[in-house]
Amino acid sequence: MSPAEIAAIVLAGMGAGLINTVVGSGTLITFPTLIAFGVPPVTANVSNSIGLVPGSISGAIGYRRELAGQRGRVVRLGVASFLGGVAGAALLIFLPPSAFAAIVPVLIILGVLLVLAQPRISRWVARRHEAKGTAGERPEHGGWWVWPSILGTGVYGGYFGAAQGVLLMAVMGIGIDEDLQRLNGVKNVLAAIVNGVSGVVFVAVHFLVEPYVDWWIVLYIGIGAVIGAQIGAKVGRRLPPFGLRLVIVVVGVAAVVSFLVGS
């Protein structure tokens, strides 16, 4: 890769790390960037997933104050994310690459729509919290449907992952009586688990079956994602949400058009 392409990937990693920490959907920045540089879709997705792991961990550390007192919840929901991440990664590896290439535009469009709907979802969740009043009206870990929903979100995240954070916040915000910033901290941990376990699956397959991983891409995205996640944890909440969403939507739409024209 040229120095300009390397710089672009690092910057995309920074943007993804920041956006994942604050909202979720950073894959809609990094994945289209890799596709634009001619990286095959499955290699781009696998390398991107592994590269974002350090950023997810960095974001979770940045939200450690909000995680205080939530160990039981994180462990319980973390099991669902772990199992879902394994299943999603297995689907990506064992389904033919043509299946992933065919569904990529649909997944990107879904991610873009979720990003566009995120403010409405957040307002609806906030209203439900206000209507319910004080915590304790529902179980600590949420209604019975929260765990399987987190499992399903993990499958989606292990397979592709764009806007995984938006889905996690919607599920937990609706199903769990808790401050939304504290749930955002849990969201970062769950996303880190999904990215981490799917990354382990991808690395194992890389060495044992077929070399899907581009380690230079992993390095460039990882460096950018760690930096971006720390920026997101410290100042990302003050950035204009509209600006973040606009960047994601523009890049996502451009990716779909480029993908369809090139296929």
Side-chain angles (χ1 to χ4, degrees):
M1 288 187 175
S2 69
E5 290 174 335
I6 293 172
I9 293 173
V10 172
L11 288 174
M14 287 180 63
L18 189 157
I19 291 168
N20 279 341
T21 302
V22 179
V23 180
S25 64
T27 291
L28 290 176
I29 301 296
T30 45
F31 182 78
T33 301
L34 298 177
I35 293 297
F37 292 149
V39 182
V42 173
T43 297
N45 190 43
V46 167
S47 303
N48 175 66
S49 295
I50 299 173
L52 289 177
V53 171
S56 298
I57 296 172
S58 178
I61 293 172
Y63 266 79
R64 59 188 177 276
R65 285 179 297 180
E66 286 82 357
L67 289 169
Q70 299 196 82
R71 178 176 298 180
R73 178 178 293 152
V74 168
V75 171
R76 178 182 173 84
L77 298 181
V79 171
S81 290
F82 179 91
L83 295 175
V86 171
L91 286 174
L92 178 65
I93 294 300
F94 293 111
L95 290 178
S98 58
F100 180 75
I103 200 173
V104 158
V106 177
L107 293 175
I108 295 177
I109 291 172
L110 174 61
V112 169
L113 291 176
L114 285 170
V115 170
L116 286 172
Q118 188 268 332
R120 186 180 296 273
I121 293 172
S122 296
R123 288 194 297 270
W124 181 53
V125 168
R127 285 197 299 270
R128 286 180 63 88
H129 273 246
E130 292 172 2
K132 287 291 183 181
T134 58
E137 297 182 18
R138 281 172 286 183
E140 177 186 358
H141 305 300
W144 66 267
W145 55 271
V146 170
W147 197 94
S149 297
I150 297 295
L151 174 68
T153 302
V155 174
Y156 171 77
Y159 187 78
F160 186 56
Q164 175 187 188
V166 177
L167 288 172
L168 285 169
M169 285 301 292
V171 170
M172 292 190 296
I174 295 168
I176 301 175
D177 284 314
E178 184 59 270
D179 176 79
L180 293 182
Q181 282 295 342
R182 283 169 59 80
L183 289 180
N184 200 38
V186 177
K187 178 262 296 181
N188 286 332
V189 175
L190 299 183
I193 291 172
V194 171
N195 289 341
V197 68
S198 60
V200 170
V201 172
F202 295 148
V203 170
V205 171
H206 173 85
F207 286 111
L208 298 176
V209 182
E210 186 171 350
Y212 284 111
V213 183
D214 187 317
W215 293 107
W216 285 112
I217 290 176
V218 171
L219 176 64
Y220 301 145
I221 290 179
I223 291 172
V226 169
I227 297 171
Q230 286 302 304
I231 295 173
K234 292 179 180 177
V235 303
R237 302 182 188 104
R238 304 173 200 163
L239 296 176
F242 175 79
L244 289 174
R245 287 194 298 275
L246 180 62
V247 171
I248 294 170
V249 171
V250 169
V251 173
V253 171
V256 171
V257 172
S258 174
F259 204 89
L260 293 177
V261 170
S263 60

